[in-house]
């Protein structure tokens, strides 16, 4: 009996040690990912300008456990700077693109932000580190459910997830200081421009599905008045529309 107890205790200790080692490995891999993103931003000054990525955005990337948002929950997959499949034909974007879109949205601590295309919930979590409130819409039911659970389990209390077609935005949650769309569409959805505050920014891949799109930043100067600039070529999954 005593031996059995000792065996169980040593197994618990071994598991704890393995978890601690894995955690330390994850922390190192995540820090390396942040350095890769920083290096990209420096080498591609034409995209972000001289100021590059802000420390606030890099800090949010450093604090967010991307491995808990992907099906494999593997750190070596999560912290390589590449897109990762999340099921249902969808992918979580490359970390550098997540950082770039977040930077371009210019999120401040008092901001209310809309994301269209919740996917895994990772981009929403990054935004939640930087903004007061994040509202995010996902059209595929199991993804919306899984993301809501992940965000809840990780205590992201300032994020609300809604199931639906994000083309129409989310009026009750807005108006928004920033909107980030993570699926590609040929044109800007007018309801999103409408729900953007004056001075706010919409960041979105604009272009045809299954090919290269332009990452586009729209700034709302006044009601009915916007400026639009294309920032970089990107490849996103298609923005789909609900049939109902
Ligand atoms: N931002 C996500 C990745 C998004 S992949 C993350 O961090 O994991 C793009 C997502 O947009 C997919 O989950 C897709 O189902 C969703 N999507 C596509 N069209 C949509 C629409 N009309 N409304 C809401 N979500 C949409």
């Amino acid at each position: 009996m005593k031996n059995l107890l000792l065996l169980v205790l040593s197994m618990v200790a071994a598991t704890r040690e393995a978890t601690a080692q894995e955690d330390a490995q994850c922390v190192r891999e995540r820090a390396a990912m942040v350095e890769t993103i920083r290096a990209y931003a420096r080498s591609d000054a034409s995209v972000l300008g001289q100021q590059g990525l802000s420390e606030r955005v890099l800090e949010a990337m450093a604090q967010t456990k991307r491995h808990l948002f992907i099906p494999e929950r593997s750190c070596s997959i999560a912290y390589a700077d590449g897109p990762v499949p999340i099921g249902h034909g969808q992918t979580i974007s490359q970390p550098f693109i997540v950082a770039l879109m977040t930077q371009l949205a210019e999120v401040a601590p008092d901001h209310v932000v809309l994301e269209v295309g919740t996917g895994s919930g990772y981009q929403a979590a990054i935004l939640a580190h930087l903004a007061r409130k994040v509202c995010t819409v996902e059209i595929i039911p199991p993804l919306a459910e899984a993301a809501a659970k992940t965000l809840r389990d990780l205590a992201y209390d300032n994020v609300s997830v809604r199931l639906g077609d994000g083309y129409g935005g989310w009026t009750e949650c807005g108006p928004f200081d920033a909107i980030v769309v993570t699926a590609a569409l040929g044109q800007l959805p007018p309801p999103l421009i409408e729900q953007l505050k004056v001075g706010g920014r919409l960041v979105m891949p604009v272009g045809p599905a299954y090919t290269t799109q332009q990452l586009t930043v729209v700034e709302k100067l006044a009601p009915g008045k916007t400026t639009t600039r294309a920032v970089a070529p990107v490849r996103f999954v298609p923005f789909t529309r609900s049939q109902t």
Side-chain angles (χ1 to χ4, degrees):
M1 185 67 191
K2 196 172 159 203
N3 283 348
L4 186 64
L5 184 65
L6 281 176
L7 179 67
V8 169
L9 284 178
S10 66
M11 277 166 70
V12 169
T15 311
R16 279 218 184 113
E17 198 177 315
T19 309
Q21 270 172 12
E22 190 183 290
D23 283 354
Q25 179 73 8
C26 285
V27 169
R28 274 196 299 278
E29 283 170 350
R30 193 159 57 247
M33 177 196 81
V34 172
E35 287 319 304
T36 304
I37 295 172
R38 203 191 280 277
Y40 267 143
R42 266 198 222 106
S43 69
D44 210 348
S46 61
V47 170
L48 280 163
Q50 283 312 313
Q51 71 274 35
L53 288 172
S54 74
E55 285 305 315
R56 281 189 83 228
V57 170
L58 288 166
E59 188 54 31
M61 301 294 296
Q63 282 179 10
T64 308
K65 295 181 173 167
R66 191 173 192 250
H67 65 286
L68 301 182
F69 290 86
I70 63 168
E72 295 83 0
R73 298 199 150 217
S74 146
C75 290
S76 50
I77 296 174
Y79 300 119
D81 193 45
V84 180
I86 53 170
H88 306 274
Q90 306 304 319
T91 52
I92 172 171
S93 301
Q94 176 192 358
F96 174 66
I97 297 294
V98 173
L100 174 61
M101 292 179 87
T102 308
Q103 179 70 44
L104 293 169
E106 297 191 16
V107 181
D110 60 335
H111 279 181
V112 179
V113 181
L114 173 69
E115 181 198 23
V116 177
T118 314
S120 67
Y122 176 68
Q123 170 79 73
I126 297 283
L127 293 167
H129 278 279
L130 300 167
R132 177 166 65 80
K133 182 169 99 168
V134 177
C135 302
T136 178
V137 186
E138 170 56 53
I139 202 163
I140 299 180
L143 288 179
E145 267 166 45
K149 180 177 185 319
T150 306
L151 290 161
R152 204 172 43 242
D153 290 351
L154 296 173
Y156 282 99
D157 299 332
N158 58 341
V159 183
S160 305
V161 182
R162 199 186 86 178
L163 174 65
D165 180 353
Y167 188 91
W170 188 343
T171 321
E172 307 76 38
C173 229
F176 301 102
D177 299 279
I179 301 178
V180 174
V181 180
T182 62
L185 192 63
Q187 73 282 347
L188 299 166
L192 299 188
I193 309 279
E194 182 61 37
Q195 289 169 34
L196 203 56
K197 286 185 194 169
V198 168
R201 283 174 174 74
L202 163 68
V203 181
M204 169 174 180
V206 179
Y210 306 111
T211 176
T212 304
Q213 305 97 27
Q214 284 297 326
L215 187 58
T216 302
V217 181
V218 179
E219 202 179 335
K220 186 161 174 177
L221 303 177
K225 192 160 181 240
T226 55
T227 56
T228 301
R229 75 190 156 100
V231 173
V234 286
R235 263 183 110 97
F236 275 75
V237 293
F239 192 110
T240 53
R241 300 300 319 281
S242 69
Q243 303 303 310
T244 50

